[in-house]
Amino acid sequence: MYPEWRKRTFFELHLAWLVQGPKGFDLLFKVNPYSLYPSREEALEAAKALLKGERLDQDPKVGRHKAPVLLSPEDRARFLVLLESGRALLPLDRYALLGEIALVEERLLHRASFRDPSNVLHSLEGLFVRLLHTPLNDPEAESREVSRGMLRLEPEGIRVGEAFLAIPEETPIEGLAYEEAFFDLGEGHYYLYALSGSTPS
């Protein structure tokens, strides 16, 4: 197994606003996008950076929600002290700010040319997969299934079930090992993902 295919340990930072519901706090909105850091300290530093101001609005990459309440310097300090233990819940009137730093194991996206043996298509070989195609020049177009079946790699391309797709050797292949791969060919974007099978760590 190539090092790029292995799961690695990260610390995930999760911040969210909650609102009081009939049975306790419910999710109002997630504040930050999916965020992985190599160490707990870096995740804490990222949380401090997000909490610099009195407004903790939603990151534009996630949405456009505004913070339901303003944070005082004391609120921010108390929240960060709680977060150092891994989880923080700070009630503020009928709202609450939730923070978590969780230890997770994840694969990172890997990019390599089709001819490179470390490209993630090789990790999917022999698995039952689904191959989808979307035209590049039509962003509104829906994906169309090309084929599904066992993936076999050949020197000139890939075979999924009975369908063969020629892939030039310089074509960049990106994806998560044992899970998915995607690439562009001509006027189309191709996406391939495993439907079943074990995924080694």
Side-chain angles (χ1 to χ4, degrees):
M1 181 190 296
Y2 292 94
E4 299 90 347
W5 295 1
R6 293 185 186 279
K7 285 186 176 178
R8 291 169 46 194
T9 301
F10 294 97
F11 291 86
E12 180 188 359
L13 172 64
H14 170 72
L15 296 173
W17 280 107
L18 310 180
V19 63
Q20 184 71 50
K23 296 182 179 176
F25 284 112
D26 297 319
L27 177 68
L28 184 62
F29 62 83
K30 185 168 167 37
V31 172
N32 61 320
Y34 187 60
S35 305
L36 298 177
Y37 300 91
S39 68
R40 181 179 295 281
E41 293 71 28
E42 287 174 77
L44 271 171
E45 285 304 313
K48 286 177 187 172
L50 289 169
L51 286 157
K52 273 185 179 167
E54 60 181 16
R55 292 193 66 90
L56 185 58
D57 296 334
Q58 191 171 40
D59 187 296
K61 296 187 194 83
V62 184
R64 296 182 180 168
H65 293 286
K66 298 296 179 189
V69 292
L70 301 180
L71 297 169
S72 69
E74 295 77 20
D75 291 335
R76 294 195 298 274
R78 197 166 72 217
F79 182 79
L80 288 168
V81 167
L82 292 169
L83 191 59
E84 284 178 10
S85 69
R87 189 172 195 275
L89 182 66
L90 182 67
L92 298 160
D93 297 324
R94 58 185 291 256
Y95 299 99
L97 182 59
L98 171 70
E100 291 180 292
I101 296 176
L103 187 64
V104 295
E105 282 195 331
E106 298 283 350
R107 288 185 180 86
L108 294 179
L109 279 176
H110 177 56
R111 182 182 173 98
S113 67
F114 180 68
R115 73 167 176 215
D116 186 327
S118 78
N119 90 60
V120 295
L121 286 170
H122 286 274
S123 71
L124 294 161
E125 188 168 19
L127 296 181
F128 196 71
V129 300
R130 187 172 180 214
L131 177 64
L132 303 172
H133 170 266
T134 309
L136 283 174
N137 54 6
D138 185 0
E140 302 297 316
E142 290 190 20
S143 295
R144 172 184 66 82
E145 182 175 300
V146 177
S147 185
R148 66 173 67 198
M150 186 181 290
L151 173 66
R152 288 175 301 206
L153 267 70
E154 299 180 7
E156 299 82 27
I158 59 172
R159 192 172 297 279
V160 176
E162 297 305 311
F164 176 77
L165 181 64
I167 304 177
E169 61 178 23
E170 294 301 325
T171 304
I173 309 293
E174 196 166 358
L176 298 171
Y178 306 102
E179 296 175 36
E180 63 179 9
F182 43 94
F183 50 92
D184 293 337
L185 274 183
E187 298 299 313
H189 176 76
Y190 290 88
Y191 174 60
L192 183 148
Y193 66 93
L195 291 170
S196 63
S198 60
T199 58
S201 58

